[in-house]
């Protein structure tokens, strides 16, 4: 049986800031079906683009060619109980994966703060959580299966250093990933401690906070000296699970962090001068709390207020200076910012296009409510982080092009060589990839896809 195909409707991402109209949508169920679709499209000069959950803010997943929905290639395919290696279909959502792993006594070593993304979408853009001794989700990849531009099905393992270096954060530029093998760890409980602190105190004790906690992050409320600090740590063997009560979760996570926050943002849209006062109140509204729960329950929070986001990785030592410069910029500008600035940390890795390549990073993420113009704020912050060797998250808004990125990624040209080998005719290209990797073709020039930015 062949994969199901249908005529496409307009596709839009979660942030409502990227959209495109594919020529058709296909739902392949096997690697061979993906290969057939790629060969047929390439023969007729069409582009192909797999899409995950549309949770990238950039137009990295947009296409006017054939859109592949990967939901037919989902679920756990193989488990090696000795090594903890688990092979999953590329389209498996993290939301489905976490409880399925838990049922096997396993877990991902680290996670970001939401779970609707697919495993392939999250890893293609280098999705990460926080933890100075831990890498992003991509750091857990020990192998993957990839359908390349000529329809070949290739198995990528650490034995092929070039393919392995390039394909784990592949940006969707090297082919269609059909399965991923992840090194999982035994299920673990995390003790979560969350409390408001002065930003001055956070920065004063930063190294200890980052190094002495397994997962440390904080949210700074612009226009104020207030921050919400989160420390998540593994607990000793035998510790009992003590999850948040349903009432506390409903109040803090649903009502304050989402319901009230939506209202705060609507008010902020009309009464911009109220934002500093609203941020003072928000910075105090979430009181201290502690609980102990399974890792994936602690990592993930509901995010119902729609926003746009830009996130840059900067060398960890540059963080205090970068935050001071952002504070000064906001004070001197007309901008009012109701969303907290999110700050996280990660260990270096060896993945060529990962923001963590060969560098211990702090991550600075700025957000703006979806009904407000994000550009002046993001441009102001981007000018600052660019001066500190900032590397943008591939799935979040930024304006860098291939020349600027080449200077930030030592293996950039090696990645392009692998791309020339795997996708010489640019079957997997789109306008975003033309910008960030260069529009050049291995054998001739191709134009960008006509999609919105
Ligand atoms: C509310 C929200 C919270 C977020 N939180 C975090 C966070 O905590 N940490 C973080 O780092 N990021 C975070 N992100 C960003 C998000 O994790 C990334 O943008 C991720 O790529 C989204 O995954 P997706 O499945 O939606 O992929 P999509 O956005 O749909 O696609 C991303 C890229 O992956 C490619 N792709 C998808 N499937 C395949 C495949 N099978 N083969 C090859 N390429 C493929 C697509 O072509 C595209 O290039 C967040 C985003 C949102 C909207």
């Amino acid at each position: 049986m062949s994969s199901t195909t249908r005529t496409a409707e307009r596709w839009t991402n979660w942030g409502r800031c990227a959209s495109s109209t594919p020529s058709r949508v296909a739902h392949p169920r096997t690697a061979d079906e993906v290969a057939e679709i790629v060969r047929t499209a390439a023969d007729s000069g069409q582009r192909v683009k797999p899409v995950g959950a549309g949770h990238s803010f950039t137009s990295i997943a947009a296409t006017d060619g054939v859109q592949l929905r990967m939901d037919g290639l989902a679920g756990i395919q193989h488990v090696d109980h000795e090594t903890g290696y688990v092979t999953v279909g590329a389209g498996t959502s993290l939301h489905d994966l976490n409880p399925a792993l838990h049922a096997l006594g396993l877990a991902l070593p680290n996670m970001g703060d939401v779970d609707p993304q697919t495993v392939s979408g999250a890893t293609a853009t280098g999705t990460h959580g926080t933890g100075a001794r831990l890498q992003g989700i991509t750091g857990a990849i020990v192998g993957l299966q990839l359908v390349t531009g000529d329809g070949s099905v290739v198995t990528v393992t650490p034995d092929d250093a070039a393919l392995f270096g390039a394909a784990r954060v592949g940006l969707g530029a090297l082919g269609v990933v059909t399965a991923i093998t992840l090194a999982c760890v035994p299920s673990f409980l995390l003790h979560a401690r969350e409390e408001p602190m002065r930003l001055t105190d956070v920065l004063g004790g930063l190294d200890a906070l980052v190094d002495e906690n397994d997962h440390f992050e904080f949210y700074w409320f612009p226009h104020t000296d207030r921050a919400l600090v989160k420390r998540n740590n593994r607990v000793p063997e035998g510790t009992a699970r003590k999850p948040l009560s349903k009432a506390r979760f409903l109040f803090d996570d649903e009502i304050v962090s989402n319901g009230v926050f939506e209202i705060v943002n609507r008010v902020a849209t009309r009464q911009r001068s109220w934002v500093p006062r609203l941020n003072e109140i928000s910075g105090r509204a979430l009181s201290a709390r502690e609980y102990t729960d399974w890792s994936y329950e602690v990592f993930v929070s509901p995010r119902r207020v729609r926003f746009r986001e830009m996130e840059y990785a900067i060398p960890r030592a540059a963080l205090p200076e970068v935050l001071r410069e952002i504070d000064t910029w906001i004070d001197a500008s007309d901008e009012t910012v109701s969303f907290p600035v999110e700050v996280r940390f990660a260990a270096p890795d060896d993945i060529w296009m990962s923001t963590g390549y060969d560098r211990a990073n702090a991550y600075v993420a700025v957000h703006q409510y979806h009904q407000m113009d994000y550009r002046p704020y993001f441009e102001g912050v981007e000018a600052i982080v660019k001066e500190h060797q900032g590397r943008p998250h591939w799935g979040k808004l930024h304006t860098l092009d291939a020349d600027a990125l080449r200077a930030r990624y030592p293996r950039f040209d090696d990645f392009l060589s692998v791309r020339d080998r795997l996708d010489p005719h640019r079957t997997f290209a789109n306008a975003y990839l033309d910008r960030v990797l260069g529009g050049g073709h291995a054998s001739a020039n191709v134009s960008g896809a006509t999609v919105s930015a």
Side-chain angles (χ1 to χ4, degrees), residues 193-197 202 216-218 227-231:
R193 175 175 161 200
E194 302 170 3
E195 63 193 327
M197 272 178 79
V202 176
F216 173 75
E217 66 188 308
F218 65 92
L228 178 72
V229 169
K230 294 192 178 188
R231 307 165 215 218

Side-chain angles (χ1 to χ4, degrees), residues 387-436:
E387 292 302 311
H388 292 271
Q389 274 301 306
R391 294 173 178 165
H393 189 303
W394 298 106
K396 300 186 184 180
L397 295 164
H398 70 95
T399 66
L400 299 197
D401 62 13
D403 287 340
L405 289 158
R406 176 177 282 110
R408 287 163 165 75
Y409 284 92
R411 306 304 297 268
F412 190 86
D413 285 318
D414 295 327
F415 182 84
L416 295 192
S417 299
V418 171
R419 186 188 191 203
D420 282 347
R421 184 148 58 88
L422 299 188
D423 187 26
H425 304 296
R426 300 295 186 260
T427 301
F428 306 113
N430 64 8
Y432 178 83
L433 292 183
D434 287 351
R435 171 163 72 88
V436 300

Side-chain angles (χ1 to χ4, degrees), residues 83-138:
T83 57
Y85 289 3
V86 178
T87 303
V88 301
T92 311
S93 78
L94 295 173
H95 182 76
D96 293 340
L97 179 62
N98 284 318
L101 288 178
H102 187 65
L104 296 164
L106 295 169
L108 293 173
N110 204 359
M111 280 268 308
D113 56 18
V114 298
D115 65 6
Q117 307 97 314
T118 56
V119 176
S120 51
T123 53
T125 60
T127 294
H128 63 92
T130 192
R133 292 181 291 274
L134 294 158
Q135 300 170 346
I137 298 178
T138 316

